[in-house]
Amino acid sequence: MVLKGGEKGFGIPLNAPLYPSSTAVTKISYSKVRVALVLANIDSKSVDPLLPEGVDLALEVAAFWVGDYGISTVGVYREALIALPVRTEGVELAYYIPYIYVTNDAAMAAGRELAGAPKKLGDIRLTVNDYGLAIGMLDRGGELMRVEVAISGRLGLEQLDAFRSLMPRMDNTVTLPLLSVRTLPPLPDGTPGIAQLIQWYARFTFTPRESPQIWSGEARVKLGGTPFDPLDDIKVTGVVAGFYIEGDMELGIIGRVKEWKLVWG
């Protein structure tokens, strides 16, 4: 017990936490999720400096995701992220997330404090216009990412198996292993900090089960950048596929993969 008045949460402020304390030991659940997703080839040299020590790119591909979360245990919000397929000792395939943005403080705090997801607040939008174009946009003092998917064809679940190396499927659910770095900074008096490579997961269930909402079509991705958010350091060399999907989702934490001590340089 930390506070004299008793435990209310694991994240600060302890007496009025941004997210439920149960989140730390269970999972975050989502419903009414909409996502525009683009898979694209990338220049491996442009992303290698973004990876933690001992983590290597598994495929020269990146996933560009813009999601709208209709309801969740950390509120209603939108999210934009870039995920890189990687491997490390004991983990053959996972997605490392160098950039991720959300629109509410509870989602930001839970992601950073529990999993080490490097979340920042941003202006994020996801729309499907009258022409059948799904457009996801991220702005944070400048347009950082824009994904476009022309909704021109509907896919069955079995057609996703062409991407099974990137999206392993069981029935109508895809489970994606994730990696991120959680840190506790060092102090000026010499007290060391800690960095931990954390493994977690995102489990996406396509709905409705009888007729899952999986759409595909020609896609584009455009990256911008600022000195604070240099997303355009990632070099996209070509688009592989684009999807617009709907369903439910679950995030959960598995555990620590490795740990480093942090000291003042």
Side-chain angles (χ1 to χ4, degrees):
M1 183 174 294
V2 177
L3 298 184
K4 294 179 180 180
E7 293 286 6
K8 290 190 177 180
F10 295 110
I12 56 175
L14 293 175
N15 69 312
L18 284 169
Y19 54 89
S21 59
S22 59
T23 299
V25 292
T26 55
K27 58 185 72 74
I28 301 175
S29 298
Y30 300 80
S31 185
K32 300 180 181 179
V33 175
R34 304 184 303 121
V35 178
L37 170 65
V38 175
L39 301 176
N41 295 119
I42 55 170
D43 178 353
S44 61
K45 294 180 181 178
S46 71
V47 300
D48 191 63
L50 306 178
L51 301 178
E53 294 179 5
V55 176
D56 299 306
L57 197 65
L59 297 164
E60 293 186 345
V61 174
F64 301 89
W65 169 295
V66 178
D68 180 285
Y69 306 148
I71 189 170
S72 82
T73 49
V74 288
V76 173
Y77 69 101
R78 294 171 299 284
E79 184 169 66
L81 63 87
I82 299 174
L84 306 171
V86 297
R87 57 174 174 262
T88 190
E89 184 177 357
V91 181
E92 293 188 7
L93 177 69
Y95 282 92
Y96 180 76
I97 301 174
Y99 299 111
I100 180 170
Y101 301 81
V102 295
T103 58
N104 84 13
D105 56 4
M108 182 180 70
R112 289 174 69 103
E113 293 175 7
L114 300 177
K119 293 186 174 184
K120 294 182 177 182
L121 295 176
D123 180 11
I124 302 165
R125 303 177 188 180
L126 176 60
T127 60
V128 179
N129 66 23
D130 292 343
Y131 303 99
L133 188 65
I135 303 172
M137 294 182 293
L138 163 64
D139 190 290
R140 199 179 126 87
E143 188 171 275
L144 299 180
M145 185 168 77
R146 180 185 178 96
V147 300
E148 300 177 352
V149 180
I151 298 177
S152 56
R154 192 166 185 175
L155 302 182
L157 287 168
E158 68 284 350
Q159 291 173 282
L160 285 180
D161 291 342
F163 304 93
R164 66 164 60 92
S165 62
L166 293 169
M167 298 186 291
R169 178 181 69 88
M170 181 172 291
D171 196 15
N172 63 327
T173 298
V174 170
T175 301
L176 304 173
L178 304 172
L179 291 175
S180 54
V181 175
R182 181 170 76 165
T183 61
L184 184 66
L187 298 178
D189 67 356
T191 302
I194 295 173
Q196 299 172 325
L197 185 66
I198 302 296
Q199 184 175 4
W200 46 305
Y201 68 86
R203 182 169 294 139
F204 193 96
T205 300
F206 299 99
T207 60
R209 183 186 182 91
E210 300 76 17
S211 182
Q213 296 294 311
I214 309 172
W215 302 82
S216 68
E218 184 178 345
R220 293 183 178 183
V221 60
K222 179 182 178 182
L223 298 180
T226 71
F228 303 108
D229 299 278
L231 274 64
D232 56 348
D233 282 353
I234 298 176
K235 304 305 179 186
V236 175
T237 59
V239 170
V240 176
F243 304 94
Y244 173 80
I245 58 178
E246 296 184 359
D248 299 329
M249 192 168 69
E250 174 185 295
L251 298 181
I253 297 177
I254 297 172
R256 182 189 64 183
V257 177
K258 64 185 302 185
E259 184 171 291
W260 302 266
K261 182 180 292 187
L262 299 178
V263 296
W264 288 103

